[in-house]
């Protein structure tokens, strides 16, 4: 009897923690910025709930370049094909600053070319460097609450099997 009460109480607590997060059940799409030799120097992650029906990204979850977290955006355009998530981004154009306001990054990438170009400036406008980059294959990560809910269900099944 006590085990049944504890099981019901734990199921109630677990569901109350997981259910508010399931509103954003879309996966998170991530692609890395790569040098020509394949070395990663940045990452861009977007929650697919923050993308409109045409595949235009409305905001990013994580955007880092050369170890700097991107904060301020003067221009950010990113697109993907909603019918083919595995293809990743099809277009990317950005003019952003890092959160410490030390560096400004301007870049352009189009899947038709496969290669992107980036300029790096100091925030006072002094040119520092330029180069080409590639985007890695896309990584789709499901919402953490979905995984949490599945683990809770498996735990409940194991507990029930153990009782029987």
């Amino acid at each position: 009897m006590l085990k049944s009460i504890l099981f019901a109480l734990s199921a109630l607590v677990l569901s109350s923690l997981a259910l508010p997060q399931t509103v954003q059940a879309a996966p998170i799409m991530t692609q890395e910025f790569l040098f020509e030799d394949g070395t990663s120097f940045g990452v861009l992650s977007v929650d697919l709930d923050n993308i409109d029906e045409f595949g235009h990204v409305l905001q990013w979850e994580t955007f880092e370049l050369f170890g700097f977290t991107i904060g301020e955006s003067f221009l950010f355009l990113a697109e993907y094909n909603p019918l083919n998530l595995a293809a990743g981004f099809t277009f990317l154009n950005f003019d952003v600053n890092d959160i410490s306001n030390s560096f400004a990054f301007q870049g352009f990438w189009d899947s038709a070319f496969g290669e992107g170009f980036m300029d790096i400036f100091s925030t006072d406008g002094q040119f520092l460097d330029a180069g080409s980059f590639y985007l890695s294959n896309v990584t789709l990560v499901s919402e953490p609450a979905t995984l949490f809910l599945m683990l809770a269900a498996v735990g409940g099944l194991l507990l029930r099997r153990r009782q029987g």
Side-chain angles (χ1 to χ4, degrees), residues 37-54:
D37 67 356
T39 306
S40 174
F41 67 90
V43 65
L44 176 61
S45 296
V46 296
D47 187 337
L48 296 184
D49 278 342
N50 295 326
I51 297 178
D52 66 16
E53 65 273 9
F54 302 109

Side-chain angles (χ1 to χ4, degrees), residues 94-158:
F94 57 89
D95 183 0
V96 295
N97 288 356
D98 68 302
I99 58 173
S100 66
N101 210 24
S102 301
F103 298 101
F105 303 96
Q106 296 176 345
F108 172 83
W109 182 86
D110 193 330
S111 62
F113 302 120
E115 181 178 33
F117 304 96
M118 182 185 315
D119 296 327
I120 306 170
F121 296 89
S122 64
T123 51
D124 63 1
Q126 179 183 1
F127 175 77
L128 299 175
D129 200 2
S132 60
F133 68 91
Y134 300 90
L135 290 180
S136 70
N137 292 332
V138 68
T139 303
L140 294 171
V141 179
S142 65
E143 183 69 30
T146 305
L147 179 62
F148 182 69
L149 192 58
M150 287 180 60
L151 287 175
V154 169
L157 289 172
L158 289 174

Side-chain angles (χ1 to χ4, degrees), residues 3 7 10 14 149-164:
K3 286 183 179 180
F7 177 73
S10 63
L14 289 174
L149 192 58
M150 287 180 60
L151 287 175
V154 169
L157 289 172
L158 289 174
L159 182 64
R160 183 172 178 156
R161 183 174 185 189
R162 190 172 180 202
Q163 288 176 353

Side-chain angles (χ1 to χ4, degrees), residues 80-98:
Y80 85 106
N81 181 352
L83 302 176
N84 187 4
L85 295 179
F89 294 111
T90 57
F91 179 79
L92 180 63
N93 191 3
F94 57 89
D95 183 0
V96 295
N97 288 356
D98 68 302

